Amino acid sequence: MCGIVGYVGKRDCVDILIDSLSKLEYRGYDSAGIAVFEEGKIVVEKSKGRLVDLQLKMQDNNSRPNGVCGIGHTRWATHGEPSDVNSHPHGNKRVSIVHNGIIENYKEIKQFLENEGYIFESQTDTETVAKLLDYYYEGDPLTTIIKTISEIRGSYALGIIFSDFPNQIFAVRKDSPLIIGLSNDENYIASDVPAILKYTRNYYLLESNEIAVISSDNVNIYDIHKRPISKEVKVADWDMDAAEKGGFKHFMLKEIYEQPNAIATTILPRIVDDIPDLTEAGINVESLKQYKQIFIVACGTAMHAGVVGKYVIERMARVQVHVDIASEFRYRNPILSKEDLCIVISQSGETADTLAALKLAKQMGAKTLAIVNVKGSSIAREADNVIYTHAGPEISVASTKAYSVQLAVMYLFAFELAFAKGQISKEECKRLTKILMTVPEMIETMLYSTEACKFAASRLINSDSLLYIGRGLDYALSMEGSLKLKEISYIHSETYAAGELKHGTISLVTEGMPVIAVVTQNSLKEKTISNIKEVKARGAKVIMICDENMPEDKEVADFMITIPCIEECLTPILACVPLQLVAYYTSVLKGLDVDKPRNLAKSVTVE
Ligand code: F6R
């Protein structure tokens, strides 16, 4: 949800700002802009559209600034349409800012500033902060920033430059991420690690309400009382290649192919003597036994991983699990107590709704566990315990490998809990864990042949709408299949529990409508097949995802995509792969921007 960067050093900064922003475009790509000190003056260049549009604009107008200190922004529009005037940086000749977040009380501030004679150009909330900084500025940036942040409410990561301080960047954040990259004779700010990885691995993690003053050879950090703060230098352990496409046409495809490795890296260190061991995350068998109920709270794909988790935990450990969409959880007045566990799941660790839900669960006394991919992210820091998934950076907006590693952790958790509660024996726990350990290799084999998925995609591209159906875990998985397809192919799709169709939705089925049926649960196969026949009888063209033992039968499926046979509870972690590939190839065949679907952003740090 917007990416911000900054550079101060000895080198020409425009290329560095553009390059860093290109690593953050996953956070939004409605517009891009930079503000650079050129001969002591702030020069701003910005453009609606992608980063490349900004580059072309500067090239066409011969307006590329030169300088060694600047800030940059890539936007996901919240307040005000995507347009040149709403693009960041905002400000004037004296102060210029880039912002990630939302200023909740911007209307009041705007009113106040208009009364003071300020004239606003954009519809953004950010412009109010730029003008408020200008209003308070009397020559001392630190005092100005402190006064300003004491007036604004909401979330923000701000990169700020003042024309009186041409070789310094000021940065402050609250509830939106910001790191400060550290190198020799040059320093950086960025919303996320991939933006600086090419230049340095060392960084400071700025905490809420800490203010950084950054020059080429110095970084000083202060609290809101201007007291200096010393910080620990963090070292990024992400692989540079992981943030590049590495020969794949799209990040999404690369990330689908990274799943075997991501799952292995996530589960293997947490398996001791063939059973899950989550003690590293502060979870032990005794503590696991005590929870009366489990709440799993997340958004989008991460929430779908939670739905699979619910089915598996309830089935195996016989503990009641509730799954909530984070934005609903907060406002439905949930009933939690200190006897409950709240698990939040998030790839980015920055999703505002999930973070707020986590805080609420803590307030209510529940124990909290975060399953997060990004180290040191806000959610990871807020939760009582953290299990990190080791998917590496996920760049494609549509989540794939983050989902499968979240499932992998759900399985580790469910097996350990089931064993702790005496619902399964140690032998059974070992047997299941060993099967889980074979998943990476199985997925690797599945990824050798993707022709069936390409063919299935070719059957979807001319459809306006389709259905995903399944029962039990197949239903839980279908939710993710449907989301993946609609978000990158723009084809409308819905997921239905196969047995529920006849209660209304089946009236949507017309001649030729594609229906993707997931049929991997042995115990439910016959029932789902009956439901498939019901839609086929009404003209649906059925693509069935099933295991390789399923006999071909044209009366059931027009086309089959098979997965290897595996323990019933583990099928989602295999069957998610063809669902991801079908969505991917549909988007490719439609000629769409797979990695950056319209209207979306990777990290949603607003409510
Ligand atoms: C869909 C997708 C989103 C995210 C959701 C939560 O492909 O990626 O639905 O899953 O925005 O994001 P995180 O996991 O970062 O909290």
Side-chain angles (χ1 to χ4, degrees):
M1 193 107 325
C2 299
I4 71 171
V5 298
Y7 169 86
V8 51
K10 306 267 186 283
R11 293 189 276 166
D12 176 65
C13 71
V14 174
D15 287 347
I16 296 172
L17 293 175
I18 298 282
D19 173 68
S20 300
L21 285 174
S22 73
K23 304 293 186 308
L24 296 183
E25 261 198 310
Y26 71 86
R27 301 178 70 88
Y29 31 83
D30 286 330
S31 66
I34 54 173
V36 171
F37 279 110
E38 190 174 56
E39 293 170 4
K41 291 204 175 85
I42 298 174
V43 178
V44 174
E45 284 294 329
K46 52 191 186 178
S47 169
K48 176 185 163 181
R50 308 227 161 158
L51 202 48
V52 65
D53 296 305
L54 171 68
Q55 287 172 284
L56 287 173
K57 188 173 177 183
M58 291 194 291
Q59 196 179 312
D60 290 350
N61 299 347
N62 203 13
S63 59
R64 182 190 182 282
N66 279 309
V68 294
C69 176
I71 51 179
H73 189 266
T74 179
R75 176 170 188 243
W76 187 78
T78 57
H79 295 59
E81 57 169 12
S83 66
D84 283 0
V85 76
N86 287 333
S87 308
H88 299 216
H90 288 282
N92 56 19
K93 288 189 177 133
R94 197 150 74 148
V95 55
S96 185
I97 70 167
V98 286
H99 169 218
N100 167 32
I102 283 190
I103 306 304
E104 286 163 3
N105 58 339
Y106 79 101
K107 281 194 181 145
E108 291 155 51
I109 299 173
K110 188 172 175 183
Q111 186 65 62
F112 165 76
L113 290 166
E114 278 175 341
N115 293 343
E116 293 296 316
Y118 281 89
I119 295 166
F120 283 77
E121 290 164 3
S122 76
Q123 291 101 48
T124 64
D125 51 340
T126 303
E127 195 182 355
T128 57
V129 183
K131 292 206 164 24
L132 195 61
L133 283 162
D134 184 72
Y135 173 79
Y136 281 130
Y137 185 71
E138 283 175 352
D140 173 8
L142 206 52
T143 308
T144 309
I145 292 168
I146 290 166
K147 280 186 180 165
T148 302
I149 62 172
S150 70
E151 300 272 322
I152 58 179
R153 279 201 316 272
S155 60
Y156 48 84
L158 293 167
I160 309 164
I161 53 177
F162 291 90
S163 62
D164 290 344
F165 297 81
N167 290 317
Q168 284 182 10
I169 298 173
F170 300 83
V172 62
R173 78 165 197 98
K174 182 181 156 278
D175 299 339
S176 293
L178 194 66
I179 59 166
I180 299 164
L182 310 166
S183 190
N184 293 334
D185 291 334
E186 51 188 27
N187 293 306
Y188 304 80
I189 62 167
S191 297
D192 199 358
V193 172
I196 57 160
L197 220 44
K198 188 167 162 188
Y199 309 103
T200 181
R201 288 182 173 279
N202 298 337
Y203 65 94
Y204 290 142
L205 210 55
L206 205 64
E207 297 293 341
S208 279
N209 292 323
E210 289 178 349
I211 304 155
V213 181
I214 306 149
S215 53
S216 61
D217 49 5
N218 225 339
V219 175
N220 292 313
I221 298 175
Y222 303 92
D223 68 11
I224 46 164
H225 306 292
K226 295 192 192 170
R227 289 179 299 219
I229 297 173
S230 63
K231 297 206 72 94
E232 178 199 348
V233 177
K234 308 257 178 208
V235 182
D237 58 4
W238 282 359
D239 188 350
M240 247 277 280
D241 285 351
E244 302 293 339
K245 280 195 201 132
F248 286 90
K249 198 161 173 232
H250 299 102
F251 280 113
M252 181 174 174
L253 190 60
K254 174 179 175 248
E255 288 161 8
I256 290 173
Y257 275 78
E258 282 172 346
Q259 291 181 111
N261 193 31
I263 295 170
T265 321
T266 298
I267 61 170
L268 295 181
R270 277 118 184 198
I271 296 173
V272 178
D273 293 337
D274 294 336
I275 59 170
D277 182 339
L278 300 172
T279 39
E280 154 240 33
I283 298 167
N284 58 46
V285 176
E286 285 313 307
S287 71
L288 272 184
K289 277 195 222 169
Q290 73 198 22
Y291 302 116
K292 285 231 163 93
Q293 305 180 88
I294 296 175
F295 292 79
I296 303 182
V297 189
C299 300
T301 291
M303 189 273 293
H304 293 157
V307 181
V308 172
K310 170 188 164 74
Y311 277 77
V312 179
I313 296 167
E314 286 191 340
R315 186 190 285 192
M316 304 196 62
R318 309 306 297 153
V319 179
Q320 194 169 20
V321 183
H322 310 267
V323 181
D324 271 86
I325 295 169
S327 54
E328 287 296 312
F329 178 79
R330 297 178 61 188
Y331 301 109
R332 78 168 170 85
N333 213 353
I335 305 167
L336 279 83
S337 77
K338 60 178 185 330
E339 293 174 324
D340 301 326
L341 172 69
C342 178
I343 303 179
V344 292
I345 309 178
S346 175
Q347 186 285 128
S348 62
E350 299 295 344
T351 302
D353 286 317
T354 311
L355 180 60
L358 166 63
K359 288 180 179 166
L360 177 67
K362 271 178 87 172
Q363 264 169 30
M364 298 184 80
K367 186 89 176 156
T368 55
L369 166 67
I371 298 172
V372 172
N373 195 43
V374 178
K375 289 207 184 117
S377 53
S378 305
I379 291 175
R381 284 182 287 149
E382 185 72 33
D384 297 322
N385 295 99
V386 186
I387 301 178
Y388 282 112
T389 50
H390 297 306
E394 193 180 58
I395 308 295
S396 166
V397 166
S399 186
T400 53
K401 61 177 178 171
Y403 175 73
S404 51
V405 293
Q406 286 159 358
L407 292 189
V409 171
M410 289 279 99
Y411 286 118
L412 289 177
F413 182 86
F415 298 166
E416 182 159 14
L417 181 62
F419 174 46
K421 302 235 10 147
Q423 294 291 339
I424 57 170
S425 65
K426 192 166 193 179
E427 280 59 48
E428 178 63 356
C429 190
K430 280 189 175 182
R431 187 184 73 81
L432 291 167
T433 310
K434 280 185 184 161
I435 301 175
L436 179 63
M437 285 158 78
T438 64
V439 162
E441 212 177 308
M442 282 180 154
I443 295 183
E444 202 147 310
T445 316
M446 288 166 69
L447 288 169
Y448 282 129
S449 80
T450 56
E451 288 311 310
C453 297
K454 280 186 202 157
F455 180 78
S458 72
R459 305 284 100 179
L460 302 182
I461 48 172
N462 295 319
S463 309
D464 296 328
S465 186
L466 65 120
L467 295 177
Y468 282 75
I469 59 169
R471 282 173 180 255
L473 275 170
D474 289 336
Y475 169 53
L477 174 65
S478 299
M479 292 178 181
E480 176 55 12
S482 169
L483 171 60
K484 215 80 309 168
L485 183 87
K486 61 189 147 198
E487 77 174 312
I488 58 169
S489 75
Y490 314 150
I491 299 173
H492 173 254
S493 80
E494 293 292 337
T495 312
Y496 268 88
E500 179 69 6
L501 280 181
K502 55 187 173 295
H503 298 289
T505 319
I506 200 160
S507 66
L508 288 174
V509 177
T510 50
E511 190 63 38
M513 181 192 217
V515 171
I516 299 186
V518 185
V519 195
T520 68
Q521 301 296 291
N522 277 324
S523 48
L524 298 167
K525 249 177 204 168
E526 284 179 4
K527 300 248 178 266
T528 314
I529 287 176
S530 301
N531 301 134
I532 294 176
K533 288 194 173 161
E534 289 158 12
V535 292
K536 265 202 81 72
R538 285 152 181 91
K541 291 276 174 251
V542 175
I543 296 169
M544 182 155 80
I545 302 197
C546 53
D547 72 41
E548 54 206 10
N549 280 347
M550 180 79 94
E552 263 194 58
D553 180 351
K554 287 282 170 208
E555 278 181 27
V556 178
D558 295 276
F559 185 68
M560 278 168 45
I561 301 175
T562 57
I563 61 163
C565 294
I566 193 168
E567 186 78 15
E568 193 172 286
C569 71
L570 282 161
T571 56
I573 200 165
L574 295 188
C576 69
V577 177
L579 289 174
Q580 295 164 345
L581 285 167
V582 168
Y584 171 76
Y585 286 117
T586 308
S587 179
V588 171
L589 289 174
K590 288 187 78 176
L592 300 173
D593 191 343
V594 178
D595 286 333
K596 292 181 192 133
R598 70 185 175 210
N599 305 340
L600 285 169
K602 180 93 185 139
S603 180
V604 186
T605 53
V606 293
E607 283 181 40

